[in-house]
Amino acid sequence: MSNFSLRVIVLEDHSFQRAFAVNLLQQLGCTEVFQAADGAEALAILNEVGPVDIALCDLRMEGMDGLAFLQAVGHSGLVGSVIISSSLSADLRRTVRQIISLLNLELLGDIGKPLHYETLERLLKKHHSVPRTGTLPEQPRVLPDESQVRQALADRGLCAFFQPKFILETGEVTGVEVLARWREASGKVLSPAFFMPVLERCGLLNELLFQQLHESLALQQQLKAFGHELDFAFNLHATQLTDETLATRIHTLLVEYGVRGSSLTFELTESGLLQAPETSLECLFRLRMMGCQLSIDDFGAGFSSLQRLYQLPFNEIKLDGEFARAMMQEPRCHAVVSSTLALGEKLGMSVVVEGIETDEQRQHLLNMGCTQGQGYWYARPMSGGDLVRWLDETQPRSQRA
């Protein structure tokens, strides 16, 4: 018998199924198991006994239902993780999963009914390997102020990391996405969530972009000398497109480094694309006139506008990684991937699927006709030096060097 030192509350209005769930959890060695017939009773119990590690929760109940309960405990610290056990249709459960992600709750699994010992055991093990977002919340790190960010830019503390984009069938690297990271003096690397809001608020996005361009174009030349010809992709924010000098400055850099515009791609997120003012059309037009590629990033993560898709001069769609992760379990996600591949073909746009984490996903995408991807299955973001070494170890050199 397993032994999990966990506090769990079971929300289930069917008395037999509730007793069965409690019995399974006790067999698995959970130290304390509470039970409630609806959300109101569960809240009363939690107010009395304190936080629990996991809520095993049905959704459709008389009285306060499971969704109302989750909304009540979200951000409260009373529940750490959630396991959904419901007979509702897949589309409704998918909506609840999205809501849970917004409530500062960790979703361990959506297991339907009936419950099985092995499935519950696997999810309880998973609980020990994921961050505890509810019961023991980490102290959030304070965002840096403008002076700290400016100093990091001046000291080159905001550095470029590179994540390869590859051909699914052969593993050939076709390019890299340039990502921003903050490397502290201690060596710790911080994600963009820590500093990008400050850069945006203080109007420093272009300064970061041109630092990345200088670093990346120099690296691109170095890689070409070593026999690796790669395209480099940079992220743009919609507000940057209103800068009338942006395209001209990028053209100056292309001349300075002697590179073709077609070796650069600029990515805008779908949500940013929808926010982009009409004046941004000129900037996008000029980038394409210079030969640069334009990519719609995180496609499908927002509310897609097909009108904007055909109005703006994009030639690549990057499908949000959530679809790759869910497509084999969710028929609707599978349909979105298939439809986007077909849409890209009809519009003459290449489609890159992000978030590929397993070979099974890669093979499935290949069978659907997808040719290009990006994700941890192939390579994580890495520094420029690491990229050079990694390419030499994994990629054949071009005869054009």
Side-chain angles (χ1 to χ4, degrees):
M1 184 181 76
S2 301
N3 185 17
F4 296 100
S5 300
L6 298 171
R7 288 161 55 91
V8 183
I9 187 165
V10 176
L11 282 78
E12 169 63 65
D13 64 348
H14 191 286
S15 58
F16 174 78
Q17 293 187 33
R18 185 169 67 249
F20 181 71
V22 169
N23 182 260
L24 280 184
L25 290 164
Q26 290 173 339
Q27 287 183 49
L28 285 163
C30 293
T31 51
E32 294 180 87
V33 182
F34 308 98
Q35 55 181 300
D38 65 16
E41 184 179 353
L43 284 176
I45 291 172
L46 293 181
N47 287 328
E48 180 180 345
V49 304
V52 295
D53 299 291
I54 298 172
L56 176 61
C57 187
D58 192 4
L59 295 174
R60 181 160 44 195
M61 293 178 280
E62 296 295 330
M64 179 186 282
D65 61 28
L67 178 58
F69 166 78
L70 294 173
Q71 289 174 317
V73 298
H75 305 286
S76 70
L78 288 173
V79 171
S81 302
V82 177
I83 298 173
I84 296 175
S85 175
S86 174
S87 57
L88 286 177
S89 62
D91 60 329
L92 290 176
R93 298 204 312 274
R94 180 170 54 249
T95 300
V96 172
R97 293 200 300 270
Q98 293 173 343
I99 293 172
I100 288 172
S101 69
L102 300 173
L103 293 174
N104 198 37
L105 297 170
E106 182 72 40
L107 179 64
L108 288 179
D110 175 5
I111 57 177
K113 289 183 177 180
L115 293 174
H116 297 284
Y117 182 95
E118 294 78 10
T119 304
L120 263 184
E121 183 179 35
R122 173 176 56 81
L123 293 179
L124 295 185
K125 288 179 179 178
K126 178 182 176 182
H127 175 81
H128 290 286
S129 64
V130 298
R132 303 280 291 280
T133 58
T135 308
L136 295 173
E138 293 185 5
Q139 189 68 26
R141 186 161 187 157
V142 178
L143 292 180
D145 58 29
E146 180 176 350
S147 63
Q148 291 172 306
V149 171
R150 287 188 180 276
Q151 190 63 50
L153 280 167
D155 296 341
R156 304 287 174 167
L158 298 186
C159 53
F161 270 45
F162 307 88
Q163 184 172 26
K165 182 168 63 176
F166 63 97
I167 302 295
L168 269 65
E169 186 171 9
T170 64
E172 177 189 357
V173 176
T174 59
V176 293
E177 181 180 357
V178 184
L179 303 166
R181 299 290 186 266
W182 185 328
R183 193 190 298 275
E184 293 186 316
S186 64
K188 184 176 182 180
V189 177
L190 304 178
S191 77
F194 177 66
F195 56 87
M196 288 302 288
V198 184
L199 284 167
E200 181 181 347
R201 186 175 68 247
C202 299
L204 296 172
L205 291 174
N206 277 357
E207 188 167 341
L208 174 65
L209 172 65
F210 282 95
Q211 275 196 11
Q212 289 183 331
L213 280 164
H214 277 288
E215 182 178 348
S216 299
L217 292 177
L219 178 60
Q220 191 179 48
Q221 288 184 324
Q222 179 186 358
L223 290 172
K224 185 176 181 179
F226 290 163
H228 304 294
E229 295 199 36
L230 300 181
D231 295 337
F232 278 60
F234 302 84
N235 291 285
L236 282 181
H237 191 276
T239 58
Q240 293 174 270
L241 299 179
T242 60
D243 183 348
E244 296 178 356
T245 69
L246 182 66
T248 302
R249 292 176 65 190
I250 291 172
H251 181 264
T252 301
L253 275 183
L254 293 177
V255 174
E256 177 183 341
Y257 283 90
V259 299
R260 296 171 287 106
S262 58
S263 69
L264 300 188
T265 298
F266 292 96
E267 301 183 4
L268 279 87
T269 62
E270 180 189 22
S271 57
L273 172 62
L274 298 179
Q275 298 165 8
E278 295 302 323
T279 53
S280 64
L281 273 172
E282 181 181 349
C283 183
L284 295 173
F285 171 79
R286 294 192 181 282
L287 289 173
R288 281 296 306 277
M289 285 286 287
M290 289 156 46
C292 300
Q293 311 297 307
L294 297 178
S295 177
I296 300 175
D297 196 12
D298 295 338
F299 188 76
F303 296 95
S304 309
S305 170
L306 295 179
Q307 184 182 45
R308 295 290 266 171
L309 187 60
Y310 88 80
Q311 282 178 340
L312 299 177
F314 285 79
N315 48 15
E316 180 182 90
I317 297 171
K318 293 187 76 176
L319 190 62
D320 186 68
E322 184 60 32
F323 293 100
R325 289 187 284 270
M327 65 183 175
M328 287 181 286
Q329 292 78 37
E330 295 284 357
R332 288 191 178 189
C333 284
H334 187 281
V336 169
V337 176
S338 178
S339 299
T340 304
L341 291 170
L343 180 65
E345 182 178 2
K346 293 293 185 183
L347 294 176
M349 302 172 71
S350 59
V351 177
V352 179
V353 177
E354 299 180 289
I356 301 174
E357 297 178 349
T358 68
D359 190 57
E360 184 181 17
Q361 292 168 350
R362 182 187 71 89
Q363 290 288 349
H364 197 78
L365 288 165
L366 265 175
N367 293 337
M368 296 173 68
C370 180
T371 60
Q372 297 186 76
Q374 193 174 336
Y376 285 3
W377 174 81
Y378 195 66
R380 291 174 178 266
M382 62 191 85
S383 68
D386 288 339
L387 177 66
V388 173
R389 289 186 288 272
W390 181 83
L391 287 169
D392 275 344
E393 292 171 0
T394 63
Q395 299 292 306
R397 296 192 178 199
S398 169
Q399 299 301 314
R400 293 171 289 176

